């Protein structure tokens, strides 16, 4: 720990495919940098060399991972990411903005994949000491618009998980909403409709308590 430096804040972006998380993570990073904060922007699965190698395996349609192997691999990737990038950055007083974190495993593997929340949280405790973001920004978009946007972005080249059936993605969306309902203090639910700047303005408003905190 850097002497005298307050721990940084950890903000995660979550949502289904095509919700606009990556764009919003970038816009937020720019806005916070402009306020003089030291920002690290990263993503999951990935963020470190080891986790990016696991990402390539996880998203490659050549492999037929089931929800249990997915949960283990995502937890392993996250463990490396937390140990080598996220925790050191927070300890050095930086703000970490992460495109997806453990709530993705809870929604995709735990919810849509059916392995259950308790097992995902156990893996997270083993792998990453149960670390949770200070704020999780859930960008919500209804199914039709999300599918259109994902298709405009990916065409026929959706990755192994993005390319799953519409029912799977609808279960993901429902589980995210449930998780946010269960932990209203940790989640900010943001409507993903309108322009990127509209959504960004909603996110900045949701961040006010964190920015004003000592
Ligand atoms: P990515 O290209 O980052 O998707 P997106 O742009 O939609 O965020 O690919 C990540 C994929 O992995 C995405 O389909 C969600 C999935 N995923 C899980 O299933 N579990 C997880 O824990 C994480 C982090 C991602």
């Amino acid at each position: 720990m850097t002497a005298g430096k307050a721990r940084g804040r950890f903000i995660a972006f979550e949502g289904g495919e095509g919700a606009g998380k990556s764009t919003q993570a970038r816009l937020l990073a720019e806005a916070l940098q402009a306020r003089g904060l030291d920002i690290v922007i990263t993503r999951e699965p990935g963020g470190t060399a080891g986790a990016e190698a696991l990402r390539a395996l996880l998203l490659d349609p050549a492999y037929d991972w089931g929800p249990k192997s997915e949960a283990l691999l995502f937890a392993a990737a996250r463990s490396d990411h937390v140990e080598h990038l996220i925790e050191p950055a927070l300890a050095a007083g930086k703000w970490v903005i992460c495109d997806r974190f453990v709530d993705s495993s809870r929604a995709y593997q735990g919810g849509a994949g059916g392995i259950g929340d308790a097992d995902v949280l156990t893996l997270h405790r083993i792998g990453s000491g149960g670390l949770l973001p200070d704020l999780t920004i859930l960008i919500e978009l209804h199914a039709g618009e999300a599918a259109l946007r994902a298709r405009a972005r990916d065409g026929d080249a959706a990755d192994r998980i993005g390319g799953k059936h519409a029912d799977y993605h609808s279960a993901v969306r429902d589980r995210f909403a449930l998780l946010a309902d269960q932990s209203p203090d940790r989640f900010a639910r943001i409507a993903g409709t309108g322009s990127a700047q509209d959504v960004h303005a909603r996110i900045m408003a949701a961040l006010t308590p964190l920015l004003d905190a000592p």
Side-chain angles (χ1 to χ4, degrees):
M1 168 89 78
T2 315
K5 192 126 197 204
R7 184 174 164 87
R9 306 283 180 174
F10 181 19
I11 300 168
F13 278 86
E14 298 284 9
E17 321 286 312
K21 292 178 308 307
S22 311
T23 304
Q24 292 304 326
R26 189 172 40 74
L27 290 175
L28 179 63
E30 288 166 7
L32 296 185
Q33 258 153 4
R35 289 176 174 234
L37 291 167
D38 203 351
I39 303 297
V40 171
I41 183 164
T42 184
R43 69 167 179 184
E44 289 212 343
T48 57
E52 290 288 337
L54 287 170
R55 175 188 178 93
L57 293 175
L58 270 161
L59 300 184
D60 188 340
Y63 303 111
D64 186 20
W65 309 114
K68 286 182 275 193
S69 16
E70 279 180 1
L72 288 160
L73 288 167
F74 278 115
R78 183 162 302 125
S79 177
D80 191 69
H81 191 204
V82 167
E83 181 178 352
H84 294 301
L85 191 145
I86 296 176
E87 273 295 353
L90 292 173
K94 298 179 184 173
W95 286 48
V96 176
I97 298 175
C98 193
D99 187 348
R100 296 192 182 280
F101 195 64
V102 68
D103 293 302
S104 277
S105 287
R106 298 174 76 191
Y108 283 78
Q109 285 68 51
I115 77 160
D117 202 40
D119 280 354
V120 173
L121 290 176
T122 298
L123 293 177
H124 187 51
R125 179 175 53 74
I126 295 168
S128 301
L131 175 71
L132 290 177
D134 295 291
L135 182 69
T136 298
I137 297 169
L138 174 61
I139 304 185
E140 297 186 298
L141 211 54
H142 65 77
E145 186 156 357
L148 275 178
R149 286 201 201 171
R151 188 154 179 84
R153 181 189 66 178
D154 299 334
D156 291 326
D159 62 49
R160 195 184 58 79
I161 295 176
K164 283 186 194 277
H165 198 270
D167 290 350
Y168 180 90
H169 292 293
S170 142
V172 166
R173 243 188 317 276
D174 290 350
R175 183 55 66 102
F176 271 131
L178 181 70
L179 294 172
D181 280 347
Q182 286 171 346
S183 305
D185 293 347
R186 183 168 66 82
F187 275 90
R189 293 177 77 161
I190 301 290
T193 46
S195 71
Q197 281 306 329
D198 293 340
V199 180
H200 175 61
R202 286 176 207 134
I203 290 171
M204 289 307 288
L207 226 72
T208 308
L210 208 58
L211 286 168
D212 290 348

